[in-house]
Amino acid sequence: MTLKTKEEYFESIRRLDLPVYIMGEKVKNVDHPIIWPSINSVGVTYDLAQDPQYEDLATATSHLTGKKINRFTHIHQSIEDLRKKIKLLRLMGQKTASCFQRCAGLDCMNSLSAATYEIDAEFKTEYYQRFLNFLKIIQEEDLVCDAAMTDPKGDRSLPPSQQKDPDLYLHIVKRDGKGIVVRGCKAHQTGAVNSHWVAVMPTTAMKDADKDYAVAFVTPANTKGITYVYGRQSCDTRKMEGGSIDVGNFNFGGQEAYIIFDDVFVPWENVLMCGENKYAGRLVEIFANYHRTSYGGCKIGVADVLIGATSLFTKYNGTDKASHVKDKLVEMVHLAETCYSCALSAQTEGNRHSSGGYLVHGLLANVCKLNITRFPAEISRLSQDLAGAVVGTTPSEKDMAIPGKIGELLKKYLRGADISWEEKVRCIRLIENITMGTGAVAFFTESIHGAGSPQAQRVMISRYSNLDAKQNLARDIAGIKKETDKK
Amino acid sequence: MTLKTKEEYFESIRRLDLPVYIMGEKVKNVDHPIIWPSINSVGVTYDLAQDPQYEDLATATSHLTGKKINRFTHIHQSIEDLRKKIKLLRLMGQKTASCFQRCAGLDCMNSLSAATYEIDAEFKTEYYQRFLNFLKIIQEEDLVCDAAMTDPKGDRSLPPSQQKDPDLYLHIVKRDGKGIVVRGCKAHQTGAVNSHWVAVMPTTAMKDADKDYAVAFVTPANTKGITYVYGRQSCDTRKMEGGSIDVGNFNFGGQEAYIIFDDVFVPWENVLMCGENKYAGRLVEIFANYHRTSYGGCKIGVADVLIGATSLFTKYNGTDKASHVKDKLVEMVHLAETCYSCALSAQTEGNRHSSGGYLVHGLLANVCKLNITRFPAEISRLSQDLAGAVVGTTPSEKDMAIPGKIGELLKKYLRGADISWEEKVRCIRLIENITMGTGAVAFFTESIHGAGSPQAQRVMISRYSNLDAKQNLARDIAGIKKETDKK
Amino acid sequence: MTLKTKEEYFESIRRLDLPVYIMGEKVKNVDHPIIWPSINSVGVTYDLAQDPQYEDLATATSHLTGKKINRFTHIHQSIEDLRKKIKLLRLMGQKTASCFQRCAGLDCMNSLSAATYEIDAEFKTEYYQRFLNFLKIIQEEDLVCDAAMTDPKGDRSLPPSQQKDPDLYLHIVKRDGKGIVVRGCKAHQTGAVNSHWVAVMPTTAMKDADKDYAVAFVTPANTKGITYVYGRQSCDTRKMEGGSIDVGNFNFGGQEAYIIFDDVFVPWENVLMCGENKYAGRLVEIFANYHRTSYGGCKIGVADVLIGATSLFTKYNGTDKASHVKDKLVEMVHLAETCYSCALSAQTEGNRHSSGGYLVHGLLANVCKLNITRFPAEISRLSQDLAGAVVGTTPSEKDMAIPGKIGELLKKYLRGADISWEEKVRCIRLIENITMGTGAVAFFTESIHGAGSPQAQRVMISRYSNLDAKQNLARDIAGIKKETDKK
Amino acid sequence: MTLKTKEEYFESIRRLDLPVYIMGEKVKNVDHPIIWPSINSVGVTYDLAQDPQYEDLATATSHLTGKKINRFTHIHQSIEDLRKKIKLLRLMGQKTASCFQRCAGLDCMNSLSAATYEIDAEFKTEYYQRFLNFLKIIQEEDLVCDAAMTDPKGDRSLPPSQQKDPDLYLHIVKRDGKGIVVRGCKAHQTGAVNSHWVAVMPTTAMKDADKDYAVAFVTPANTKGITYVYGRQSCDTRKMEGGSIDVGNFNFGGQEAYIIFDDVFVPWENVLMCGENKYAGRLVEIFANYHRTSYGGCKIGVADVLIGATSLFTKYNGTDKASHVKDKLVEMVHLAETCYSCALSAQTEGNRHSSGGYLVHGLLANVCKLNITRFPAEISRLSQDLAGAVVGTTPSEKDMAIPGKIGELLKKYLRGADISWEEKVRCIRLIENITMGTGAVAFFTESIHGAGSPQAQRVMISRYSNLDAKQNLARDIAGIKKETDKK
C-alpha cells in the first residue's frame, strides 16, 4: 500500500527516535508540545491523500510504478502536475495556517531527479539510477524527505574553502570504497524532525577549489552522527502552557532545526553528487526555482486564513460594513492573489526536462518569490490595522478564569458586537499567531528568506531578464541602428 | 482569402471615408500625420498574421468555418487560445510600443458571443445567431471592429434615466419594424477611426427604469449619423513636425475619439440587446474581465520596449555597470513580469462557457488589471530615474541643424559614452514618448482607466473574494464554532 | 526636591501595592519579571533628568512654580519645548528600545490643560484650576500619570448610549455633593501598572445622548475599585526564563493593561469634565494630535536601535560591504528620518493656545502618525531581510550549554565572521524582539494603533486638508471662474 | 530702490537680448510664446515682493545693507529665514503651478557665500569679498541669477579629465593677469533664459587631476561666447496654438536650456573658485542640501494646485462624495505634506555657518528630496485615477467651435454634473499639464532629477547616517561588549 494513514505516519516518526535537543534538553519523544504541531501539520498531507474530495490534488500516479502515490512524493510529469502542486500547497496552507514542511522535500526530489540526470549525461556517472532507487522507497512507503541545503556560512564574503573553519559549509572529509564521510551543519532546516530521510544538497555554486563541498546525498534521518537542535520561534513556549486559546493555532505549526553532521558515513548508493562542482549551482538553481514558486501556494493558503480571521474580527467589532474596512480586505485579497497568480504562471510556462520531469519557468519563479518577500508582510500589517490594538494587549485566557467579579468583568469587557469573549479572543490570538507569533516565523521570516533571500531572487531575475532582446525592441521602435551604438 | 495584407487593410480603411474632426477641422483622409501611426499600429496585426514566425500566435482556426483567421477575430475555443491571446498582445506591444487598438474589438466579440447566448437562453431571443452572422463577416473579410462602451455619464452619482439630459448615456429613441434608432455618444473610443465596424455595448449595469439604455448592436463604421471627434494626446502635434526623432515613436501610436451617434438607424439584424437590462451588467462584466487581462499582455510589451530603451540609455551614459542601475532594471522587469503572470493565470484558470467559448477567471482578471493601474506608472518613474534630466531638457532635433559652430557644439555636448548624439537623443525621445508623451496616454492614463477605473476592479475583487469561505478556514484553525459567532 | 531618583521612583511604585492580575494570578509585587522591565523603562526618564548631559532635554522649568521639573510633567511653554519633547522621546527610544510609557501622561496633561481652559471659558466651570492643582502635585513630586482613553467599545457601529451593555464605555453612574461614581473599563492602557495617578478621558466625540460618557478625571492609581489585568505580549514569558539572551531586550519593555473601574468614587476636586459632551471630541482631538507626533520621536528611537542591530549583524555576517545591504540600510534610515521630520515639523508649525500652552499642528500631526502606521513595519521587514532566516530558527541560549560535543558544535556553527556565537545570537534576539517579539507590540502593533488607528488619521487629514482653498488655486491657474462651477 | 516691479523685470530681461535658439531658430525676443510663460513665472517673485500680504515671506532685510530686499536675493541669517524660504517656495508653486526658476540662484548664492568663506579660510584667497561685491549688485538691483551646475558628462564612469573630449565638463582653458577663459556646456539649466547673471559651479567632487574643472564664477547672462539652446518639453508647442484651454496653464511655465560656453572670458573679480578642487565637492554638497529642500516647498505648491484641480474635477463628475474618492484625496494630501514636513524640518534643524549664514540639516535635506523623487509621481497617478480617461482623450478646444450641430453636440457631451464643458475641460487640461504635459517636466522629471538624482541622495544619506552610533545603541540594549565584536 503506497499511501500511509496519518496515524501510521505518526507512529513511523516516533519509531525513528531521533536525537533532538530543545531548549537545552534532549527530548524524550516527538510528542513534545512544541514539536507535535509540526508533525501534525505533516499529518494533514496524509489525511488529504485519503480524502476522496481532495484525491485529484493530493495524489498522483507514479511514473516509476504506475501506482497511486502521495503527490508530495511525485516527480511532475506534466504542466498539469505542476499546477496541481501549487493548488495542493494552497489547500495545505488553508488547512494548517502553518508551514507544513513536506514541500521542501518534494521540490528537492524533483531537483535531484533533473540534476542527477544532467550530471550523468556529462560525467557518465550513475547518480540518476541511485536517485530512482531512493525515490522508489519514498513513494512505496509514502515517506517524508527533508531537504537540507543551507549551511551556516560564517563569513559570507568568503567561499567555503576559504573560511577559517573548514566545517562552516558541509563537506566530504573522507572517501573510500564503501562511501563517504561528511562533516558540517545544515541550518534552519524546515521539517527536519518529522522526516524519515534527509536529502543534502550544496547551498550555492562552487568553484574548483570547493570540490569537497560539492556533495549531495540522501540518508535516513536517524543515521549515526546526525543530531538535531530545535530552533526557537516567537511565542514557542505558549504551546507548553496547556490552554487552547492563547496559543492561537493549537493544532498546527512549523519547525526549524539545525542538523549537525558529525562525521556521518554515507554509502555510495546514497551519494548523488560528489565533487562535480559545476553542477552545484545548477542543482541550487533548479531547487530554488521550484521552491520559490511553492511559496506562492502555501503562503497564500495561510493568507486566506489570515484574511478570513481579519474579516471575521471586523464582524465581531461591528466594523465590517465600513468602506475603509472593505477596501483593506480587498487589498489583502489582491496582494495574495497576485502572488498566487505568479506561482501559477511559473508552472504553466514551465517546460519538459530531458529526464522527463517538468521544470518551472525560471524568471517567473523568481518574480513570484520576490513578491512573497513583500506582500505577506503588507497583508499582516493590514490585518493588524483592521484587528486593532487588541492583538498586542489582550489578557491571557487564564485571566478569564480569575475567581469572582474580576473574571466576570473582564469577559464582559472583552465581548464584541453580539459575540462572546471566547470567539473574539480566539480570533485575536490567531491573528497574533500569524502576524507576530509562531506563525510569523513562517508567514513573515520564511516568506522573506525561505528558498533564498530577496537578493538571491534579484540576482536571478537579472540573469533571466534578457535585456539585450529588450534593447533590440527599443532600437527598432526608435530607429537606432545597432551597429552604431554597440560598444 | 480570410487574411488581409496590411496594404489591403490600409486601403479598406481609406475607402470608408469616415467623417473625422481633429483640432477643429474635418480631415481629408486618414493619412493625416496624427492619425496615421494608429492605423499603422493596427497594420502590424495584419503583418504578423502573414509572418510564418508568428503564425501560431497571430492566427487561429475559426470555430465557424474551420478556416485560418486572424486571432483578433477569433472566439477562444480553449485555455490555450486564451493564453496565446495574451502572448500575441505582448508581442504586439513589443512591436509597436503603443496601444494597437484591435484587442478591444476582440474582447468585445468574445463577450457578445457569450452574453447573447445567455440572453437567448432566458428570453428566447435570437441575438446569438445574429452575432454569429456578423462574426462570419468579420472573420471572412478580416475586419477590425471597434468596441464602444463608455458613455459621457454627466453626473456620475445619477443613473442614465435620471440625468438632466437623457442623451448622456446612449439610448434607443425609436423602435419600429425595421430596427431601432439610437442617440448618444461613446467617449474615449480606442481605435474608432481605424475600424470597419463599431460594436456598441452598455457601459454599466442597468435597472428597469433604464431599459432604453440597455442596448447593444453592431454597425458599419461609416453608418449615417456617426461622427468622430479625435481626442488630443500629450505631444500629439509632434507628429506634424516632419522629423523622425522628436516624435519618439515615428511609426506607431494609439488613438482615442468621441463617437457621436446622432439618431443612427440600426436594422434588427444588427441589434444584439434591446431592453434586456438584466444582462447589461453581465455583458459589462464579461467584457471587463477579458479586457482587464488584455492589459497584462499589451502594456507589458510596451514595458519591454521601455525597459530596453532605459537599459540602452544607461549603456550610452556609461552607468550600466552601477549596482543601483542594475537593481532598478531588475525592479522594472519584476513589476512587468508580475503583471504578465497575473494575465496568464487569469487565462489558465479560465473556464468553458455554455456557448463553447472560454471565459477568463474573474477574480484574477481584476487582480491583473489592478496591478496594471500601479506598476506601469512605477516602471515609468524608474525609467526616468535611470534616464536622467535629459528626458525633460533635450533640445529639438532641429537644433542639431543650427548652422555653424552652435549646431556642432550642441551635438558634441549631447554625445554619450562612445555614442553619437543621434542614438542618444532617439533613445531619450522614446523614453519621453512612453513616460510623458503620446505613448503615456496608453502606458499611463490607459493603464489606469482602460477597461474600467481602479475602483471598478476593487469592487469586483470584493465581489469575487468569497470572504465567507475564508472566515470558515479561520474558524477551523482557531476553534471557533460557527453557530456561536453568527449574527 | 522636584526630581526623583530612579530608585525613589521604584520604591514609590512598589508602595502603591496595585491590584494587578497577570496570566490568571494576582501579582505579589511589581518586581514580577514580566512587569519589571516596563518599570525599568520609566526609570530611565528619572535617570536622564539627573544626568547633566541630558538636562536640557530631560528637564524643564515649571510655568507654575518656576522650579526645574522633569520634562515629562511639563506644560509646553514654547515651540522649543515642543521640539525638545520629540528629541527627548527619540532619546528614550534609543535608550530602551521599547515603549517607555510616560509620554501618554505628558500628552494627556497638556491636553487637559488646554481643554479644561476652553470648557471653563464657555461654561464658567472651574476645571482648569482643579487641573493646575493636580499638575502641581505631579510636578512637585515628579509623579507618573497614566492616560486612560480607550474603551472596549463593543459594537463599534453604535454610540456609547446605544450599546446593549451600558458599561462598554466608561460612564458616570452616580453624582452627589461629594463627587461622582464611574463604571467601565479602559483597554490597552500603556503604562498603567507603573503610574502614580490615572487620568481618564473620553475616547471619542459624544452627542447629547451620551452626556454621562463625557467624563474626565484624575485619580490615584490605587484608588478603591480599580483593578489591573495585564495584557499578553508576543514572547512575554521569555522574560521568565531566567536568561539574558533569548529575551532579546533583558532590561526594558513596555506594558499594556486593562483597567477595570468597578464603581470608583472620584471627588469633585479631581473631576475635569462632567457632561460637557461638546468638549469630549475636542479633548480627544488635542490629545490625539499631541500623541500622534510623539510616535515620530519614540518609534524612531527604537528604529535607531533596530537599524544599528541590523547593521551590526551584517558586519557579523561579512555582508556589510555588499551594495544591496548598504542600500537597504539607507532605506531604513530614510524611512525613519521621514517620520522624525514629520514629528518635528508638527511641533515647529505648532501654535500658542489661549491658556498659554503650545499645541502642535493638527494636519502635520496626523500626517506624522499615518507614516508611523506604515514605515516601522517596512523597517522591520528590511531588518529581517538583512538579518536572514536566523531570526526564526536560532536555537535557545540553553542549547549552547548542552553538555559535551553537541553544545560545542552548535557554538561553532553559530559563529559569524570573526565573532563568537554570543554576540551574534544577542544581536539576532534583539532583532527578533523588535520585529516579532515583545518589542513588536510597541514597534508594530502600537505603531499602527497607538493614538488612534490609521483610519482615524485619515479622517483628520481629510478635515484639515482645506480642499476648497486648493480648488481656488486650481481655478486661478486654469482660468475657471468660480461662480460658474459652484453648485 | 531695491525692489523691481514685474514690468521693470520684464523690460530688463528683454534688454539683455540673449542669443537663444529654439527648435532650430534664433529667437527674436523673449516674448516668444514658449519662453514667455517662464519669464512670467519669475515675474511672480517680483509681484509678491510688492504685495503687503506676502511681504513677510517675499522680502527680507539684507545683512549687507540693511535694506529691504527680495527674499530670492537674501543670504539666510536665521532658522526663521530658512523656514520662510520654504513657505515662500510653496506659495510660488501655488501661484504658478510651475517651476518658477529663481530658487536655484538663491540656493546657489547661499552656497557660494559659505563655500567661498571656507576656501578663503584655508587658502587665504579673496573669493568671499568678491562674492559679496557681486551679491550687493544682485540685491541692490533685484536681479535674477541662474545657477549653472550640471555638465554633459559624456561617459559617466570616467572623471572629467579622462573623458575623450576634455570639454564634456566645463573647464579653464586659459589663465592670465586679467582673468580666465572657460569652455564647456551646462546642461538642463533651469531659468537660464530669464536671468541677468549666471553663476557657474562644478557639478561634482574633483580630484587633483581635475583641478582645471574646479572652477566657479559669476558672469552677466549676455557675456560674449555664451549661447542658449532651449530644451523641448512635453507638449511645448501647445503654447504656440493660440488658445487658452488646451495649453493647460496658459500663464506660467518652466524652462530648461543648454548653455554653451565657447571660450568665455571671466575677469578675476568674478572668479570664485579656481583650482581649489578640495572645495568642489564641498560646494556641491552645500548647494545640493539647500536645493534638495527647496523641492519640498515648490513641488508641494504645485501639488496643492493638482490636488485642488483633481478635487474640483470630482465635483464636476458628481463623484466627490464617494468614499474611495475622498480617501485618495487624503492620500494625495498626506504624501504632499510628508514632503513638506521633511523640507521644514531640514530647515529648523539647520545651523549657523561660520560665515554667518545658515545651513540646512544635511541628512534631512536628502531625506526630503528622496521623498520628492517618489511622492509627486504617486500624487500624479492618483490624480489621473480620480480624473479618469478624459485626461488622455478629450478633443481640442478648437473642436468645440466646429460649425453646426457637431460642435454643439460635443459641448453637450463634455458637460459634467451641473457644469459647462469649458470649466470641465479647463480642469482636465490643467491636470494633463501637470501629470504628463509641460508641467510634468517640473513635477515628474525634475522632481526626480532636480538637485541630483535619487542615487545621489542615497549616497548622502548613507554618509550622514552614522551607523556606528546606532550600532552602539544596539550593543547597549543587547548586552554586547564592543571590544568583542570589533574587527
Side-chain angles (χ1 to χ4, degrees), chain D residues 289-304:
Chain D
N289 286 352
Y290 276 127
H291 206 44
R292 284 168 193 177
T293 69
S294 291
Y295 286 74
C298 66
K299 299 307 177 207
I300 304 318
V302 179
D304 288 332

Side-chain angles (χ1 to χ4, degrees), chain B residues 200-424:
Chain B
V200 169
M201 300 174 284
T203 196
T204 186
M206 302 280 179
K207 303 217 166 140
D208 287 351
D210 302 316
K211 269 186 186 298
D212 284 346
Y213 296 86
V215 60
F217 58 87
V218 291
T219 191
N222 58 358
T223 302
K224 185 167 173 285
I226 293 182
T227 308
Y228 302 84
V229 186
Y230 212 83
R232 295 213 70 171
Q233 297 188 328
S234 172
C235 296
D236 46 9
T237 52
R238 286 215 196 157
K239 294 175 181 169
M240 303 185 73
E241 292 178 5
S244 75
I245 299 179
D246 287 5
V247 71
N249 183 347
F250 55 95
N251 275 322
F252 304 111
Q255 100 183 189
E256 314 276 346
Y258 277 63
I259 314 182
I260 296 174
F261 292 81
D262 186 19
D263 289 0
V264 171
F265 168 73
V266 184
W268 284 116
E269 66 194 66
N270 289 342
V271 175
L272 301 175
M273 176 190 292
C274 184
E276 294 84 2
N277 59 291
K278 176 180 167 185
Y279 283 90
R282 174 66 180 153
L283 176 54
V284 171
E285 181 182 356
I286 299 174
F287 173 74
N289 286 352
Y290 276 126
H291 207 44
R292 283 169 194 177
T293 69
S294 292
Y295 286 75
C298 65
K299 299 307 177 208
I300 304 317
V302 179
D304 288 332
V305 177
L306 183 58
I307 293 167
T310 308
S311 142
L312 199 54
F313 196 75
T314 65
K315 241 177 71 177
Y316 294 169
N317 263 348
T319 57
D320 52 327
K321 302 284 182 278
S323 65
H324 80 95
V325 170
K326 289 193 283 186
D327 197 62
K328 281 167 188 161
L329 287 166
V330 163
E331 185 66 18
M332 293 166 83
V333 170
H334 169 69
L335 296 173
E337 299 294 341
T338 295
C339 294
Y340 182 60
S341 290
C342 293
L344 283 178
S345 68
Q347 316 303 314
T348 58
E349 297 298 298
N351 63 290
R352 192 177 182 281
H353 185 259
S354 51
S355 64
Y358 274 72
L359 302 180
V360 299
H361 190 274
L363 174 56
L364 298 185
N366 284 277
V367 166
C368 173
K369 174 67 206 312
L370 192 54
N371 283 321
I372 294 288
T373 69
R374 299 172 175 178
F375 293 168
E378 177 65 2
I379 291 169
S380 286
R381 192 184 68 86
L382 290 167
S383 170
Q384 288 222 357
D385 178 340
L386 293 181
V390 284
V391 181
T393 69
T394 302
S396 168
E397 60 184 298
K398 291 179 185 161
D399 290 314
M400 313 302 164
I402 297 170
K405 201 171 183 189
I406 294 303
E408 289 314 304
L409 285 176
L410 191 59
K411 290 179 196 168
K412 159 192 170 103
Y413 289 125
L414 281 168
R415 183 182 303 145
D418 274 312
I419 196 77
S420 81
W421 71 271
E422 188 177 330
E423 277 69 30
K424 205 172 153 190

Side-chain angles (χ1 to χ4, degrees), chain B residues 232-236 436 441, chain D residues 234-235 238 245-248 306 383-384 390-394 426-440:
Chain B
R232 295 213 70 171
Q233 297 188 328
S234 172
C235 296
D236 46 9
M436 58 204 300
V441 170
Chain D
S234 172
C235 296
R238 287 216 195 156
I245 299 180
D246 287 5
V247 71
L306 183 58
S383 170
Q384 287 222 359
V390 283
V391 180
T393 69
T394 302
R426 283 188 179 275
C427 195
I428 292 166
R429 290 296 176 207
L430 175 54
I431 292 173
E432 183 197 29
N433 177 287
I434 299 176
T435 61
M436 58 205 297
T438 58

